[in-house]
């Protein structure tokens, strides 16, 4: 399904030095797999997602999706197959347009963008039903501007937009971390039900270790641009947050020791 | 103001409204400060005047529209492919157009006296509504443009075009190339501007190399005035606001001239109107803050201070 082969990406810090954000990352996802990614700040989680989505072009390595080599595809072309929800709730929707219009844009993914009417009556009803399924009461506000919605409502809408045309891959980049705890739980619950309903292949980045182990079928830990832990099946079932934390601190302290030895 | 002068002002306003719609498209819909307008307005006028000289005034208008569209796409190309800042891309094309316009015109001014124009070639209309040809002609064109533009902005492509100005990231993530939407948008915007210039040349019976100077500001002033009077809560309202703004702007200028303002001060007044409208929200905020600070320093009288004292008197814990 998704194959990432020896992906490397660095960002220039200044004229002479650069930071290695992804260091030879190789990862392969099966169809229907739901992977959660954890790791500290600067571990390369978001960079990995951005490389898959086409926001960044990797320095070297290859990415294939369902046999298509998408390594050099521009972002907008990959979006036809990849759905995304961002950390920032403002990034997923157009604020001055209505809920209906936002959904219409997402729903026309992969179809002709010609001079056909933006929203037909039939589509309007379809969107209303879909929005009603979110259970937030937004179906009564289809003609309101999205800018008037709360962060949680916007994130739920973005989730719907990302999946209304079934994507081959869904990327969630800490999509609940800007929300208050109650709203975050609700959006996460929605995420879980949408993913299981459509059997979506998903990669979700999160800061919450409990969440990472509870959701999905596989958990990956990243550190310093590398994958340091890849858990699935029995191994993952036996893993607890405490063990994960101790592994995490171990991993970080190795670096410290290495640094000391070098000095 | 006499009724003839008033009619003339409204006619001018209607012609300029088409230009203002172009400026609205780039500044408001695409959220891109496009300065190509100054050049493409003259380009439209130059082409339209040239076609009048060649005896086919009607062909002048669509040609002006197409040429303006071309100018707009060059600006878009510089910005999207050349990664040049939007403001600079527009200025570069505006500069280039100055030479191009001189080439098109062959001289700095083309008079069109005694030549057939689109306003003079409607004998049947002249018989029916003598003296109102320009008003009826230009306003029906404006209504047609408004309807087409409104319809276009509601199509599938129109939706992503609008979203491009609000959230380009979102547009890319629904699988649309923002370079394409931006290019089409700027082409359309400058096409409208050039069409307006072409119409104006035939209306005022001359084209001049400097007639586009400051057109961006005139357009922006119309947009701001219209938004202030009519509002901009939904798309149709916003479009009508721009149109009304353009006519009101002309009326204000006409009245100022009536009161003895020399025409040479026109650009100064336009700049002052736009600058004050743009700065108004910030100035108002600072003014309110200053007022609150003064009140707070005076102490006693303000409600906040009383509330604070009352709060402190309450037993704590």
């Amino acid at each position: 399904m998704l194959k990432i082969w020896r992906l490397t990406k660095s960002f220039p810090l200044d004229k002479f030095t650069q930071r290695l954000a992804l260091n030879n990352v190789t990862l392969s996802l099966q169809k229907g797999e739901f992977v959660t990614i954890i790791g500290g700040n600067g571990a390369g989680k978001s960079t990995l997602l951005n490389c898959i989505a086409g926001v960044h072009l990797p320095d070297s390595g290859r990415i294939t999706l369902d046999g298509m080599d998408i390594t050099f595809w521009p972002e907008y072309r990959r979006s036809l197959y990849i759905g995304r929800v961002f950390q920032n709730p403002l990034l997923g929707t157009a604020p001055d347009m209505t809920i209906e219009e936002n959904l219409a844009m997402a729903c026309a993914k992969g179809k002709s963008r010609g001079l056909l009417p933006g929203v037909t009556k039939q589509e309007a009803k379809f969107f209303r039903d879909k929005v009603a399924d979110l259970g937030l009461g937004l179906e009564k506000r289809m003609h309101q501007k999205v800018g008037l919605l709360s962060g949680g409502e916007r994130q739920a809408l973005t989730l719907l937009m990302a999946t209304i045309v079934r994507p081959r891959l869904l990327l969630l980049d800490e999509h609940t971390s800007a929300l208050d705890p109650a709203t975050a739980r609700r959006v996460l619950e929605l995420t879980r039900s949408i993913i299981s309903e459509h059997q979506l292949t998903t990669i979700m980045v999160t800061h919450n270790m409990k969440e990472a182990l509870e959701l999905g079928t596989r958990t990956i830990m990243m550190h310093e641009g590398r994958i340091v832990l890849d858990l699935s099946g029995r191994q993952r079932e036996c893993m607890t947050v405490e063990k994960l934390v101790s592994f995490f601190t171990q991993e970080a302290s190795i670096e410290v020791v290495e640094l000391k030895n070098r000095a | 103001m006499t009724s003839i002068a008033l009619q003339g002002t409204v006619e001018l306003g209607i012609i300029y409204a088409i230009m203002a719609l172009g400026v609205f498209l780039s500044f408001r819909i695409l959220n891109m400060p496009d300065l190509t307008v100054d050049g493409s307005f003259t380009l439209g006028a130059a082409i339209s005047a040239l076609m009048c000289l060649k005896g086919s005034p009607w062909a002048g208008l669509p040609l002006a529209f197409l040429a303006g569209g071309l100018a707009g796409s060059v600006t878009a190309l510089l910005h999207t492919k050349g990664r040049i800042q939007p403001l600079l891309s527009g200025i570069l094309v505006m500069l280039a157009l100055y030479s191009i316009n001189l080439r098109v015109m062959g001289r700095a001014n083309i008079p069109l006296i005694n030549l057939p124009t689109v306003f003079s070639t409607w004998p049947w209309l002249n018989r029916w509504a003598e003296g109102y040809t320009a008003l009826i002609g230009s306003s029906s064109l404006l209504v047609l443009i408004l309807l087409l533009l409104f319809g276009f902005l509601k199509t599938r492509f129109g939706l992503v075009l609008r979203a491009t100005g609000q959230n380009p990231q979102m547009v890319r993530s629904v699988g649309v190339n923002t370079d394409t939407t931006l290019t089409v948008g700027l082409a359309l915007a400058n096409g409208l501007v050039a069409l307006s210039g072409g119409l104006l040349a035939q209306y005022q019976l001359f084209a001049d190399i400097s007639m586009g100077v400051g057109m961006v500001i005139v357009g922006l002033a119309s947009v701001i005035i219209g938004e202030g009077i009519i509002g901009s809560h939904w798309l149709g309202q916003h479009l009508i606001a721009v149109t009304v703004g353009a006519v009101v702007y002309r009326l204000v200028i006409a009245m100022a001239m009536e009161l003895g303002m020399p025409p040479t001060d026109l650009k100064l007044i336009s700049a002052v109107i736009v600058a004050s409208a743009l700065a108004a929200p910030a100035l108002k905020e600072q003014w309110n803050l200053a007022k609150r600070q003064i009140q707070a320093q005076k102490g006693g009288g303000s409600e906040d201070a009383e509330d604070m004292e009352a709060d402190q008197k309450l037993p704590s814990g």
Side-chain angles (χ1 to χ4, degrees):
Chain A
M1 156 88 237
L2 177 74
K3 284 201 178 69
I4 296 166
W5 183 72
R6 301 182 72 171
L7 211 60
T8 301
K9 173 74 188 172
S10 52
F11 293 106
L13 280 179
D14 54 54
K15 225 172 182 175
F16 306 105
T17 55
Q18 41 189 7
R19 194 175 61 80
L20 203 57
L22 287 181
N23 187 356
N24 235 344
V25 171
T26 298
L27 178 69
S28 179
L29 256 69
Q30 298 301 316
K31 203 177 168 78
E33 229 176 349
F34 180 176
V35 180
T36 55
I37 302 186
I38 46 174
N41 287 324
K45 308 172 304 257
S46 290
T47 310
L48 180 63
L49 246 57
N50 282 335
C51 279
I52 298 172
V55 180
H56 303 316
L57 203 64
D59 299 341
S60 64
R62 278 271 186 275
I63 306 171
T64 59
L65 182 66
D66 275 347
M68 302 176 288
D69 187 342
I70 60 168
T71 314
F72 299 106
W73 284 22
E75 187 184 351
Y76 71 88
R77 202 173 150 203
R78 299 185 202 199
S79 297
L80 297 178
Y81 305 107
I82 299 176
R84 264 187 298 169
V85 184
F86 311 88
Q87 179 175 11
N88 182 350
L90 303 179
L91 278 184
T93 44
D96 270 344
M97 296 168 76
T98 64
I99 297 182
E100 193 178 85
E101 286 171 331
N102 270 281
L103 280 166
M105 284 188 277
C107 199
K109 219 189 222 191
K111 294 181 203 151
S112 147
R113 296 270 179 186
L115 299 178
L116 294 163
V119 190
T120 60
K121 276 208 176 109
Q122 210 180 348
E123 281 174 323
K125 191 184 171 306
F126 173 65
F127 296 152
R128 192 184 300 271
D129 294 345
K130 280 283 180 185
V131 168
D133 286 346
L134 293 177
L136 298 172
L138 290 179
E139 64 276 9
K140 290 173 215 126
R141 302 164 65 185
M142 295 302 285
H143 295 284
Q144 255 180 37
K145 288 183 181 178
V146 169
L148 299 170
L149 304 188
S150 72
E153 288 166 340
R154 282 180 85 156
Q155 219 52 339
L157 182 62
T158 309
L159 193 65
L160 180 57
M161 285 169 65
T163 52
I164 196 161
V165 174
R166 188 176 181 278
R168 299 195 186 185
L169 178 68
L170 178 65
L171 302 177
L172 307 169
D173 189 358
E174 294 186 39
H175 69 302
T176 59
S177 68
L179 308 175
D180 67 77
T183 316
R185 250 198 312 282
R186 208 149 170 200
V187 171
L188 213 58
E189 204 39 60
L190 265 173
T191 311
R192 199 206 295 259
S193 71
I194 287 178
I195 290 172
S196 67
E197 183 191 337
H198 300 283
Q199 300 283 305
L200 296 175
T201 313
T202 307
I203 304 180
M204 178 172 107
V205 167
T206 174
H207 262 309
N208 187 331
M209 295 199 180
K210 187 162 163 279
E211 219 172 86
L213 290 175
E214 272 176 8
L215 284 171
T217 56
R218 183 176 168 190
T219 298
I220 284 170
M221 183 189 276
M222 289 188 73
H223 186 68
E224 307 259 305
R226 284 173 299 120
I227 293 174
V228 293
L229 193 66
D230 189 343
L231 296 170
S232 54
R234 282 282 304 278
Q235 229 183 342
R236 185 167 180 268
E237 281 163 29
C238 299
M239 184 54 84
T240 61
V241 173
E242 289 75 30
K243 279 195 218 166
L244 211 54
V245 169
S246 75
F247 188 85
F248 181 73
T249 43
Q250 229 174 32
E251 193 61 34
S253 60
I254 289 170
E255 301 290 326
V256 177
V257 172
E258 271 177 9
L259 278 177
K260 271 182 189 160
N261 288 345
R262 247 181 273 165
Chain B
M1 206 185 290
T2 63
S3 70
I4 298 256
L6 183 70
Q7 190 193 333
T9 309
V10 172
E11 282 164 4
L12 264 184
I14 289 170
I15 292 172
Y16 275 108
I18 299 172
M19 184 272 300
L21 285 171
V23 171
F24 160 78
L25 213 52
S26 50
F27 273 73
R28 287 291 191 258
I29 296 286
L30 292 172
N31 197 16
M32 173 155 162
D34 175 29
L35 299 192
T36 320
V37 170
D38 281 19
S40 50
F41 190 77
T42 316
L43 178 67
I47 287 173
S48 152
L50 198 71
M51 292 314 286
C52 279
L53 287 182
K54 290 194 196 281
S56 40
W58 280 100
L61 297 182
L63 280 178
F65 180 81
L66 288 178
L70 197 65
S73 355
V74 173
T75 304
L77 210 65
L78 289 179
H79 173 53
T80 56
K81 300 298 173 207
R83 306 257 171 89
I84 300 174
Q85 290 158 355
L87 268 178
L88 200 54
S89 314
I91 292 176
L92 286 170
V93 175
M94 177 178 81
L95 183 71
L97 279 176
Y98 188 84
S99 299
I100 292 171
N101 291 339
L102 271 176
R103 260 182 195 266
V104 171
M105 292 166 71
R107 56 202 140 131
N109 189 299
I110 301 180
L112 301 174
I113 318 265
N114 293 331
L115 284 171
T117 67
V118 290
F119 297 105
S120 66
T121 44
W122 293 10
W124 54 273
L125 189 63
N126 258 336
R127 231 176 297 128
W128 178 63
E130 170 125 45
Y132 293 99
T133 330
L135 191 65
I136 294 171
S138 53
S139 51
S140 30
L141 181 63
L142 177 66
V143 169
L144 182 69
I145 289 174
L146 276 173
L147 289 175
L148 283 175
L149 199 57
F150 182 75
F152 171 68
L153 291 173
K154 290 277 186 188
T155 61
R156 275 192 187 165
F157 191 85
L159 289 185
V160 284
L161 186 90
R162 280 157 66 199
T164 303
Q166 300 170 28
N167 189 348
Q169 175 65 69
M170 177 249 151
V171 174
R172 283 192 292 273
S173 57
V174 296
V176 175
N177 189 352
T178 42
D179 290 359
T180 312
T181 50
L182 200 73
T183 308
V184 172
L186 280 186
L188 187 58
N190 282 288
L192 287 175
V193 169
L195 176 63
S196 167
L199 212 56
L200 182 68
Q202 297 200 23
Y203 175 79
Q204 64 184 14
L205 295 178
F206 69 89
D208 189 273
I209 190 67
S210 67
M211 64 192 275
V213 175
M215 234 5 101
V216 177
I217 299 303
V218 174
L220 206 51
S222 310
V223 172
I224 293 170
I225 293 172
E227 285 168 350
I229 298 175
I230 306 282
S232 55
H233 296 293
W234 49 280
L235 186 66
Q237 184 191 25
H238 211 163
L239 286 172
I240 291 167
V242 173
T243 313
V244 171
V247 176
V248 170
Y249 175 81
R250 274 296 128 195
L251 286 171
V252 170
I253 295 291
M255 276 191 273
M257 299 239 260
E258 193 104 326
L259 293 174
M261 183 190 79
T264 42
D265 284 352
L266 214 81
K267 308 266 188 236
L268 177 68
I269 303 294
S270 312
V272 169
I273 291 177
V274 172
S276 35
L278 288 179
L283 292 179
K284 201 173 156 193
E285 195 178 304
Q286 283 164 28
W287 168 245
N288 284 339
L289 190 67
K291 254 196 337 206
R292 277 179 54 194
Q293 274 175 342
I294 292 168
Q295 274 177 356
Q297 273 162 12
K298 278 188 195 157
S302 99
E303 283 173 29
D304 276 0
E306 276 169 23
D307 286 350
M308 205 165 83
E309 277 167 29
D311 282 353
Q312 280 164 354
K313 272 177 202 157
L314 285 173
S316 56

